Amino acid sequence: MTIALDPRHVDRQPARDLVAAEEAAARFLTALGIDLDSESLRDTPGRMARAYVELLTARPFDLTTFPNDEGYDELVLARSIPIRSVCEHHLLPFVGVAHVGYLPGDRILGLSKLARVVEHFAHRPQVQERLTKQVADWLALELAPKGVGVVIEAEHLCMSLRGVRAAGATTVTSTLLGTLRDDARSRAEFFSLAGAH
């Protein structure tokens, strides 16, 4: 069974105007006193625009689920899913890993789809707390598992490169739903297998 991303639950990607983005990037850099006349900087506005389009555009995918014919009822966990997103406050990247798990109900998920869901919600201006909850809520809604757990560990360049300049500091967020929230042993197993302490 294949379930397409439902626009009721996932924001549609707006149209991209790369020409306007490149012009705006050139104006932005010029306003900051950067001379774009040199050979090495002449094409920077275009590269900058294309880089942000890439950071802010998720690849489409279908959520593939399968019947849980064997009645598997133990934790399914994908650890260390690479994550990259852009902080909505400064438009600087944050990078890290996501650990996503669920306790199956009637259906199980194609494993690559856990990474695809994380990628989908990460490719937009974000805050880590919302991103963590969006991934968990979407899986709970679309998969109807007995429980869902999501932990994200990330370094925010807005905190590393500016302001406090706390290079190497990691922010950890978690969302637990269903049995993984309500049952202490299941919660402990999830955190132990995810490697989150």
Side-chain angles (χ1 to χ4, degrees):
M1 178 173 148
T2 299
I3 304 171
L5 291 176
D6 187 333
R8 293 173 301 163
H9 311 301
V10 178
D11 300 336
R12 291 185 177 171
Q13 296 287 345
R16 308 292 197 230
D17 186 342
L18 198 54
V19 172
E22 183 175 343
E23 291 169 355
R27 287 192 305 274
F28 175 71
L29 293 170
T30 300
L32 292 176
I34 298 172
D35 181 5
L36 300 177
D37 291 332
S38 73
E39 184 178 345
S40 62
L41 287 171
R42 189 173 303 127
D43 295 328
T44 295
R47 288 190 293 264
M48 184 176 160
R50 289 188 300 277
Y52 273 96
V53 166
E54 184 179 332
L55 284 171
L56 298 174
T57 306
R59 296 176 292 173
F61 76 100
D62 291 328
L63 181 70
T64 307
T65 67
F66 305 96
N68 187 5
D69 293 334
E70 289 76 30
Y72 187 80
D73 62 358
E74 298 294 330
L75 187 62
V76 176
L77 177 71
R79 283 193 309 200
S80 301
I81 298 168
I83 188 167
R84 62 179 190 179
S85 192
V86 177
C87 163
E88 70 180 29
H89 301 132
H90 300 97
L91 285 187
L92 289 171
F94 63 93
V95 295
V97 293
H99 314 292
V100 181
Y102 72 99
L103 288 168
D106 293 334
R107 300 196 68 80
I108 57 175
L109 185 65
L111 291 177
S112 68
K113 303 312 180 195
L114 292 173
R116 293 290 197 149
V117 171
V118 170
E119 177 189 287
H120 182 82
F121 286 105
H123 276 71
R124 61 189 74 188
Q126 271 290 12
V127 295
Q128 186 173 326
E129 298 88 341
R130 180 189 315 119
L131 173 59
T132 307
K133 186 160 175 21
Q134 284 176 330
V135 171
D137 288 346
W138 196 83
L139 286 169
L141 181 65
E142 297 296 333
L143 193 55
K146 295 176 184 171
V148 174
V150 178
V151 172
I152 294 178
E153 305 172 63
E155 181 176 0
H156 292 250
L157 296 187
C158 59
M159 193 167 88
S160 300
L161 299 178
R162 54 158 304 281
V164 70
R165 295 184 184 163
T170 302
T171 300
V172 179
T173 52
S174 67
T175 297
L176 301 175
L177 303 173
T179 302
L180 293 180
R181 182 182 184 100
D182 300 333
D183 180 71
R185 287 187 299 190
S186 295
R187 184 171 56 249
E189 178 187 17
F190 171 75
F191 283 127
S192 173
L193 290 176
H197 304 288

